[in-house]
Structures are given as structure tokens and as C-alpha cells.
Amino acid sequence: MNITLLTTGTLGDVRPYLALALGLQEVGHRVTLVAPENFETYVKQFNIAYHSLVGNTQEILESEEGRQWMASGNAKEFMKALNQITHRTRYEAEQDVLSACQECDAMIVHPLLLFYAATLSEKLNKPFILANPFPFAPATNEFPQFLVRAKSLPFGFLNKITHRVFAKVYEKGKADDLNEWRSKLGLKPLQGSLFKKIVDQRIPILQMYSPSLVPHPKDWGDHNYITGQWKMDDKHLPEQAGADSNADLDQWLDRGQAPIYFGFGSLPVLEPQKMMDMILDITKSLNTRAIIASGWSDMTANGTSLPDSIFMIKTAHHESLFPRCSCVIHHGGAGTTHTTLESGTPSIIISTYADQPFWGERITNLNIGRHIPFPALTKENLMQAIQELNDNSVRSRAAEIGKRIKAEKGLHDALAWIEQRLPTAPIYKN
């Protein structure tokens, strides 16, 4: 089959789709990966056909406006900003997805492109599979919609209401732009709830996270499948051997106790010196070592002299580093969360937006980690969380779940399910 994969967002959104593209290509399918324009060089190095999608997501998030927005931790602001961006670029995006899918036999789609996929399925008479890096849909009694609320509500029907509220608000925000496009394509305006229709029409939905973290809800049908994380086979990553090796870091790790890892990634650290002072205070108080992966943030702007107990890096090879740490503190993206869990190391998620608070609450409920929203972060609550995780029962539980997740074959299982389901997947009907 000729399959088009459509994704958007950050590297954490693109990478699983790239892993799937490589897997589909290996079993004989022709694959095109549609991703934001800033990922063209990255995708093409893997010899995957690439089609550009308007928008540079890294540029948007790294901008001062984007960092301020993330730092607020406000889900409403997240949705508002997302709608504003998609509204401004809608004509280019519509043209990009239409041209990318015109000749394909089927589509596999990121949830943020769901409305485009449903319209193209109807117009081009092609089936699609929704592939979620986070539990975007369908509705369930077992946990809330993460953009409405991270913590589960006391009664299942209340959790389900949060999904319906989100669907109503999200669809309302998309309706005008989408109906304008549908009219150009000769389609009738949207009727009813698209979220309800993908359930009623049994559109296949893949959930690319661990069932150990989010078990299959009892009120989901068998057209939903939780596969586990989609990871690229090491044979596709020859560049890692050189890029991720750090002899100085290895020697530093060998010289003393397991450190705490502070990974800021895309966290909007608006006051780097304040964050640095907090880390220095905590490590001194706890008499421990720390690795600081600064990510997008400039943590050395004031030229702070670091003691030997602190090792600063820009980025890290998480798979090899996390098992050597005593605790992993990170932003809570789905990919980093799963890599941390697989390492068997307790973790703390400092969340800002999107699915990050949801993963923070999941690890807290499993008692293998803690969750602190970024706007609420203080030296005191972070130090308390670190101390709570330094407990044998927590470490034992984290190690046990880590073994289960490491044994999962998410990409393999997803490929097998796609081979089974895609030939009979339905065409979306308005």
C-alpha cells in the first residue's frame, strides 16, 4: 500500500511517526511522512519520502512569546494559541495535506491533524487510522481529558464529561476554518460531533503509550489498541554512536554516587540563574551530585562556577544515562516519560502544558514518581519530592514497571495491527 503519515508538533511528535514509517517501509509499503518544515533535514537522513507541512514548531516554541505561554501552564491559553497558529496558516496547511494525500491508499494521522484527515478521508474516499501519542480520544470514564484536567475526578461519569467538554470547545474552534475548506472541496458543512463519529464509525485508533502506564479502559471498543511506545530500531540510528558519547561524562559518573538528572529540554526557564541557584542549594542540602541538561535554556549566562558535584551538558542520550541516575527530573513529554519509566529510575515531572500534567499524575498514582506543575515549582517542594522517591518500596516498584515496559514491543505490535486493520478500515462519513 501507499501510506501517508501526517504528524505535527515537536520532535517528540515526529519521532514515533518516523519509527512507524521505517517499520512500514521494511514490510513492503510505500511511505510518505508529512511533518513540519523544520524537520525536513532530520527526516530525509533516514531515506524516508518527506512532504513539508507549513510551520516551524521549534521556532514558535522557542520564541519569547512561546516560552511565556508555556511558562503559564494554562491549558486554555495553549488551545487559544494553537487555534491562532492553525488559523493563520490554514490555507498553506490545507494545500500541504491535500497534495500529500492525493495519491495515497490510506492515512495514519496525529490527533492534531484529525480534522484534516477526516475531511480528506471523505473527499478522497480513503481510510485513515488515528495514532495518538497521548490519550486524546475517545472519551472514557476512567480518566479525564488531559487538556481539561490532569487529576482524575471521583466519579467516572465526571471524567467522561471532561472529554465531551473538550470535544465541544475544540470542534467549535475549528468549525469555521474547516467548513470554509470543506466548501472549497465540494463537501457539506460539518454535522454533529466528529469525536463521536470516529467512535460510532469505528475508525481504528492506535494509542502509542504503555499499557503499564495507562491500561486499556473498559469502555473502549476493540477498534482501540494500546501498543506501547514506538521506538526506532538501533540499526536506524548510527549517528547516535558518535553524537551521544561523552567520555568526560562517563568518567564523572564512574567517580561517585548516582546523580540526580535535571533535564530542562523545552522547559521555559525564564530565569536561568534562579533555577541554577535552586539546583545548587538542593544538591548541597542533600549531599548529592547532579547532571544538568540545559536544553533550550542558557543556564550559564552569568558564568556561574560549578562545583565538581555538578556536570553540565546540553543534551543527553537518555537510554544510556537514566539507568545510572538516582532520580530523573524532566518536563514530562511522552517520549522522555516512557524512556524514564523503562530505565526503572524514579522520576519527577515538572509540567507546563499539553499532555505533560497527565503523565505527571500517572506516575504519581503509580507511586513511581511525583508531579509538580512548573508555575508551582519551589526549592522546598522539589526537595521534598526527591526525598520521598528515595525509598526502597518506590525504587522497587519503579524497577518492576521498568522491566514490563522494556519488554513491550510497541512498534512491532502496531505494525501487526495496522496490517490487520487497514485493509478494512472505514471511510469517514460526515
Side-chain angles (χ1 to χ4, degrees):
M1 293 182 79
N2 183 2
I3 303 173
T4 296
L5 311 184
L6 297 102
T7 186
T8 189
T10 65
L11 180 60
D13 297 284
V14 173
R15 199 175 175 93
Y17 279 84
L18 178 57
L20 182 65
L22 290 165
L24 288 168
Q25 197 164 265
E26 283 191 343
V27 297
H29 297 286
R30 286 182 295 141
V31 182
T32 299
L33 179 58
V34 182
E37 58 196 34
N38 50 302
F39 291 105
E40 179 174 4
T41 302
Y42 176 71
V43 171
K44 284 186 173 179
Q45 70 180 317
F46 295 95
N47 295 316
I48 291 291
Y50 167 82
H51 194 292
S52 178
L53 178 65
V54 64
N56 185 321
T57 50
Q58 185 170 347
E59 191 177 87
I60 292 166
L61 292 176
E62 286 187 10
S63 69
E64 187 60 30
E65 181 185 9
R67 289 162 67 80
Q68 292 282 355
W69 154 57
M70 285 195 295
S72 73
N74 188 312
K76 287 182 180 178
E77 288 301 312
F78 169 72
M79 293 305 302
K80 181 180 176 182
L82 195 60
N83 282 335
Q84 287 173 344
I85 292 166
T86 55
H87 176 73
R88 287 197 301 266
T89 61
R90 65 192 184 280
Y91 299 130
E92 296 96 326
E94 290 161 5
Q95 184 56 45
D96 287 343
V97 295
L98 179 59
S99 61
C101 297
Q102 198 86 46
E103 303 300 324
C104 75
D105 299 312
M107 300 167 284
I108 300 176
V109 186
H110 188 284
L112 292 181
L113 298 174
L114 169 60
F115 282 73
Y116 288 125
T119 295
L120 290 175
S121 176
E122 183 181 358
K123 174 63 179 178
L124 303 176
N125 201 38
K126 302 177 191 293
F128 77 96
I129 288 177
L130 178 62
N132 293 330
F134 32 71
F136 183 84
T140 177
N141 287 318
E142 297 191 17
F143 50 79
Q145 211 296 329
F146 61 84
L147 285 170
V148 177
R149 180 183 171 90
K151 290 179 183 289
S152 192
L153 289 156
F155 302 103
F157 75 92
L158 294 176
N159 284 329
K160 202 156 196 173
I161 286 173
T162 66
H163 292 269
R164 290 171 179 162
V165 167
F166 167 77
K168 187 173 182 179
V169 172
Y170 191 64
E171 289 172 341
K172 184 178 179 181
K174 295 283 184 186
D176 288 347
D177 289 348
L178 195 60
N179 284 332
E180 179 186 45
W181 186 42
R182 290 176 64 85
S183 176
K184 292 177 186 175
L185 295 174
L187 298 174
K188 293 179 180 178
L190 285 174
Q191 298 173 350
S193 168
L194 184 145
F195 283 88
K196 185 175 185 301
K197 286 181 180 179
I198 64 170
V199 174
D200 293 344
Q201 296 177 24
R202 297 180 62 79
I203 302 294
I205 304 176
L206 281 167
Q207 314 280 358
M208 59 176 95
Y209 45 79
S210 172
S212 294
L213 190 56
V214 185
H216 194 286
K218 296 181 179 65
D219 52 357
W220 279 4
D222 65 359
H223 59 293
N224 285 268
Y225 183 36
I226 301 177
T227 64
Q229 189 183 17
W230 299 355
K231 297 188 296 183
M232 277 187 276
D233 193 294
D234 287 344
K235 68 185 177 185
H236 295 303
L237 300 171
E239 81 283 358
Q240 282 195 356
D244 292 320
S245 61
N246 187 327
D248 290 340
L249 175 59
D250 287 338
Q251 291 173 11
W252 182 86
L253 285 164
D254 290 339
R255 286 202 299 268
Q257 67 185 139
I260 298 170
Y261 171 87
F262 292 85
F264 294 99
S266 57
L267 270 178
V269 182
L270 304 179
E271 299 179 275
Q273 189 57 47
K274 207 171 168 185
M275 182 66 73
M276 180 64 76
D277 291 342
M278 179 192 296
I279 293 170
L280 290 170
D281 284 349
I282 288 174
T283 53
K284 187 175 180 180
S285 298
L286 297 177
N287 191 28
T288 189
R289 304 197 301 165
I291 294 171
I292 300 174
S294 59
W296 295 356
S297 303
D298 184 359
M299 304 294 289
T300 57
N302 290 350
T304 303
S305 179
L306 299 177
D308 186 57
S309 59
I310 306 288
F311 197 98
M312 176 82 77
I313 54 179
K314 187 73 174 174
T315 58
H317 183 219
H318 295 162
E319 288 83 354
S320 60
L321 179 57
F322 288 176
R324 303 185 69 178
C325 296
S326 62
C327 180
V328 174
I329 299 170
H330 63 99
H331 67 299
T336 307
T337 297
H338 279 79
T339 304
T340 305
L341 292 171
E342 191 176 287
S343 75
T345 305
S347 59
I348 299 168
I349 288 178
I350 312 295
S351 69
T352 54
Y353 73 112
D355 53 325
Q356 297 169 5
F358 177 81
W359 301 124
E361 290 304 312
R362 298 309 286 188
I363 65 168
T364 302
N365 292 341
L366 289 169
N367 196 29
I368 55 173
R370 295 292 182 269
H371 173 219
I372 303 173
F374 185 71
L377 177 66
T378 65
K379 173 192 168 184
E380 290 72 25
N381 61 16
L382 182 54
M383 193 154 73
Q384 180 183 340
I386 293 169
Q387 291 172 315
E388 287 176 359
L389 296 181
N390 190 24
D391 178 273
N392 288 337
S393 65
V394 173
R395 295 193 169 280
S396 176
R397 176 78 170 146
E400 174 195 335
I401 289 177
K403 286 179 185 176
R404 292 210 306 259
I405 292 178
K406 202 163 191 176
E408 293 171 0
K409 298 178 180 178
L411 181 59
H412 173 273
D413 292 349
L415 289 168
W417 198 77
I418 289 168
E419 293 285 279
Q420 178 189 11
R421 294 283 180 142
L422 199 50
T424 59
I427 308 296
Y428 176 79
K429 305 294 182 186
N430 185 28

